Amino acid sequence: MLNEFLYAKIHRATVTEANLEYIGSITIDKALLDEVGIKKNQKVEILDINNGERFSTYVIEGEANSGIICLNGAAARKVQVKDKIIIVAYALLNEEEQKTFEPKIAHVDGNNKLIK
């Protein structure tokens, strides 16, 4: 049996831009994506800490080490620049994988740089 589990999380990222005119998605600093293993075009959920919004979209790679977290298209209406968000991705795991799998979690500072 497959069950859905947390695969990766970028915790308390700061929204740097909201671009209503773009055709959907979230642009995320490539360094953050690489840290947690989230891929370009992968589905993610966005959880806005400031207003409680929860929604799904897909990932666009932003420039590495730029700190960019930009909600695009319709998603731009659900956030404000400077909002704190949690970006999560899930994976389907079989019963054997469920025993040992650990999600990758990145904590970031106010400039979306990794906190070690």
Side-chain angles (χ1 to χ4, degrees), residues 12-45:
R12 293 189 63 85
T14 302
V15 175
T16 60
E17 299 174 48
N19 183 352
L20 185 61
E21 300 306 317
Y22 193 82
I23 307 172
S25 70
I26 182 170
T27 305
I28 302 173
D29 181 323
K30 185 178 183 324
L32 297 177
L33 296 174
D34 291 346
E35 180 71 19
V36 296
I38 295 175
K39 307 294 186 213
K40 177 175 67 173
N41 297 318
Q42 184 172 348
K43 179 182 178 181
V44 291
E45 286 192 16

Side-chain angles (χ1 to χ4, degrees), residues 11-12 32 35 105-110 112-116:
H11 191 71
R12 293 189 63 85
L32 297 177
E35 180 71 19
I105 299 173
H107 294 266
V108 297
D109 65 16
N112 297 323
K113 302 297 181 196
L114 289 169
I115 299 172
K116 296 290 180 186

